[in-house]
């Protein structure tokens, strides 16, 4: 639980650093998880010819992370670690097949329930059978 709370606190403070007056409205938090993307695959991280103007704008106007690791090299372990702050091997059942167990805090649940955010997801989920 503590690691997910720390993750939420970290994301909230990092996002707040990207705006001038965050006291009137909480900052927007956008997490982008891309598979098979290396450190230098985006112009904002030094790629010489790739063009990603919208991602570059997010990096320029927001908070760009330069020190990070994922908890696995494939999609489900990476998502499980990002969402829960836990090593995927700690779960008794594989989250790709059975989902994140009820009662396990996630970044999105904490942002929604504790901080009042509206949360959403677009794209591949791969955290359960649905």
């Amino acid at each position: 639980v503590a690691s997910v709370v720390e993750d939420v606190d970290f994301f909230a403070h990092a996002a707040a650093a990207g705006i001038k007056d965050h006291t009137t409205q909480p900052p927007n938090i956008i997490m982008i998880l891309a598979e098979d993307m290396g450190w230098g695959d985006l112009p904002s991280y030094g790629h010489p010819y790739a063009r990603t103007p919208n991602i570059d704008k997010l990096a320029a106007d927001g908070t760009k992370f330069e020190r990070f690791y994922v908890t696995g090299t494939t999609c489900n372990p990476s998502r499980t670690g990002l969402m829960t702050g836990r090593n995927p091997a700690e779960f008794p059942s594989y989250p790709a097949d059975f989902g994140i167990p009820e009662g396990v805090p996630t970044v999105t649940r904490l942002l929604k329930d504790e901080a009042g955010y509206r949360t959403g997801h677009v794209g591949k989920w791969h955290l359960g059978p649905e």
Side-chain angles (χ1 to χ4, degrees):
V1 175
S3 62
V4 174
V5 173
E6 290 168 359
D7 287 348
V8 172
D9 186 59
F10 175 75
F11 283 123
H13 281 87
I19 60 174
K20 291 182 178 148
D21 181 14
H22 62 275
T23 58
T24 58
Q25 181 178 346
N28 292 322
I29 300 172
I30 300 172
M31 290 186 270
I32 300 173
L33 181 62
E35 295 177 8
D36 297 325
M37 180 173 278
W39 172 257
D41 290 346
L42 295 172
S44 55
Y45 288 96
H47 195 280
Y49 60 83
R51 294 187 180 166
T52 58
N54 294 323
I55 294 174
D56 295 345
K57 182 161 177 33
L58 286 171
D61 294 346
T63 301
K64 185 173 99 171
F65 297 99
E66 297 183 344
R67 294 186 197 110
F68 49 85
Y69 293 94
V70 294
T71 55
T73 58
T74 57
C75 54
N76 176 265
S78 299
R79 285 170 175 74
T80 300
L82 178 68
M83 294 297 291
T84 66
R86 293 173 55 182
N87 186 318
E90 293 179 28
F91 294 101
S93 301
Y94 188 52
D97 296 330
F98 299 97
I100 296 171
E102 285 297 318
V104 173
T106 64
V107 170
T108 51
R109 284 185 196 139
L110 289 172
L111 284 170
K112 183 177 181 181
D113 297 343
E114 303 294 325
Y117 276 84
R118 289 182 298 173
T119 61
H121 173 265
V122 175
K124 182 179 175 180
W125 182 239
H126 204 198
L127 284 173
E130 297 177 14

